[in-house]
Amino acid sequence: MAVIPASGQGVTDYYQVTQNRQQYKRLQSRYGGPQIRDRWYVALDGFIKTDRAQLNNAYDGLIETNAVGKASWGVTVGWAHREKWAVEGSYARIPIHTQLAISQTNPPITARYTNERNAFTLRAKRLVLSTSKPWLRSGFWVSGGMWMLPGNNQPANSFSASGYRYQSQWETHEPFHLTSQTTVQSQTAALAELGIEYNVRLSNAVDLGMSVRKLWGLTNAVTTNATYTALREAPQMATLQGTGSGMSYGVTLRYSFSTQRNQTKILNVQGKSRLGFQ
């Protein structure tokens, strides 16, 4: 007779604990688990950067410059605070171009110069729209930052080409000659950035980000001076300035190597006494 109450009490306690645990998990799913306070991470960036040089003389559409895109890479170290703010410092290889083209020629004439520079970036980010529970880290971020590109002493580059230009297929082709001289500025160049990124949590430590960023060149990095000479026409001069202004489309893989968490007191949402917790 003494065993039965003890056994019944044990069964009652078992079901009470199980019920409390299920209720705790429901509250945790609704109101949150351990909240991330601070997080340090490293990242590998892959992106395509486009830029277009500034042209001062198009000569009635004869001389033009086109946007140029090139794939590049970078590495990043970042710190996130409460999954709402983040600060990043990164290193990347950034190409800056000047591209000169002459229309209506045979053969087509295009002269491109690429200056790849080491770039160091400081960026601030803010979460503006979460697409998951706060501790899952997925959502849209906006960012702003500055790029600094130390100068390099690359030698001047010369280019020359000759051909025939035509206004229409019925006109006589006119011979022309094009020469250009490209110089790289030795001083540090700067870019301003404004971007948006969507971040997806893949696991507790790994995130995947997809970003689009607009870049504004603040200083001139590459200068191309071109001279176009045609029969019966005065020589025409044009200058292209490569500042790096353009767009960046990237994918980032992040790994969090240090995370500090705060445990949310979700038992106080409905009260411990109602749940059977003491």
Side-chain angles (χ1 to χ4, degrees):
M1 295 298 294
V3 175
I4 295 176
S7 175
Q9 183 64 39
V11 172
T12 301
D13 292 342
Y14 171 80
Y15 283 109
Q16 180 67 31
V17 171
T18 302
Q19 186 179 30
N20 290 342
R21 184 179 296 111
Q22 293 173 348
Q23 181 73 350
Y24 181 84
K25 289 182 178 179
R26 286 195 295 268
L27 282 175
Q28 189 179 49
S29 175
R30 180 175 180 181
Y31 295 103
Q35 301 293 310
I36 296 177
R37 185 186 66 196
D38 299 296
R39 179 166 56 90
W40 286 92
Y41 56 87
V42 293
L44 179 63
D45 307 312
F47 58 91
I48 296 177
K49 180 183 176 297
T50 66
D51 65 323
R52 182 194 296 268
Q54 300 174 359
L55 176 65
N56 71 341
N57 180 17
Y59 190 35
D60 295 329
L62 171 65
I63 303 174
E64 59 186 17
T65 181
N66 302 317
V68 181
K70 187 174 182 180
S72 192
W73 61 274
V75 291
T76 298
V77 176
W79 171 73
H81 180 62
R82 298 189 181 279
E83 297 306 313
K84 293 182 178 180
W85 293 94
V87 178
E88 295 180 345
S90 65
Y91 164 82
R93 291 288 291 174
I94 299 297
I96 297 179
H97 303 90
T98 58
Q99 177 164 299
L100 176 69
I102 306 297
S103 62
Q104 298 176 331
T105 62
N106 184 24
I109 301 298
T110 300
R112 177 188 299 179
Y113 186 84
T114 302
N115 175 227
E116 288 208 28
R117 292 198 178 190
N118 299 316
F120 301 91
T121 308
L122 182 62
R123 177 184 300 120
K125 299 168 58 176
R126 166 68 176 173
L127 178 68
V128 293
L129 178 63
S130 175
T131 57
S132 64
K133 299 172 183 178
W135 63 96
L136 295 185
R137 304 197 302 271
S138 298
F140 288 93
W141 297 70
V142 294
S143 65
M146 290 291 297
W147 300 56
M148 303 302 294
L149 291 74
N152 49 17
N153 296 318
Q154 291 190 5
N157 180 270
S158 299
F159 173 85
S160 64
S162 298
Y164 293 90
R165 177 176 177 257
Y166 52 90
Q167 296 289 348
S168 67
Q169 60 180 345
W170 296 282
E171 293 185 356
T172 303
H173 291 187
E174 179 183 67
F176 74 90
H177 184 68
L178 174 70
T179 60
S180 69
Q181 181 85 5
T182 300
T183 57
V184 177
Q185 307 301 319
S186 59
Q187 70 268 24
T188 298
L191 298 171
E193 168 202 299
L194 184 63
I196 186 168
E197 178 179 341
Y198 182 66
N199 192 67
V200 180
R201 174 185 179 273
L202 301 181
S203 68
N204 288 336
V206 180
D207 300 343
L208 180 67
M210 293 157 284
S211 63
V212 177
R213 297 187 172 102
K214 172 65 177 176
L215 303 174
W216 292 272
L218 305 180
T219 56
N220 182 33
V222 182
T223 301
T224 296
N225 294 304
T227 302
Y228 173 84
T229 305
L231 187 66
R232 299 187 303 273
E233 295 182 10
Q236 295 293 319
M237 307 290 295
T239 299
L240 292 90
Q241 294 185 341
T243 63
S245 296
M247 300 293 297
S248 173
Y249 308 91
V251 176
T252 300
L253 187 65
R254 296 185 184 87
Y255 173 75
S256 299
F257 61 87
S258 177
T259 302
Q260 300 294 326
R261 301 175 183 270
N262 289 328
Q263 179 67 44
T264 305
K265 297 180 180 180
I266 60 177
L267 296 181
N268 293 330
V269 175
Q270 292 192 9
K272 296 180 181 179
S273 59
R274 293 183 57 186
L275 299 178
F277 290 96
Q278 302 299 326

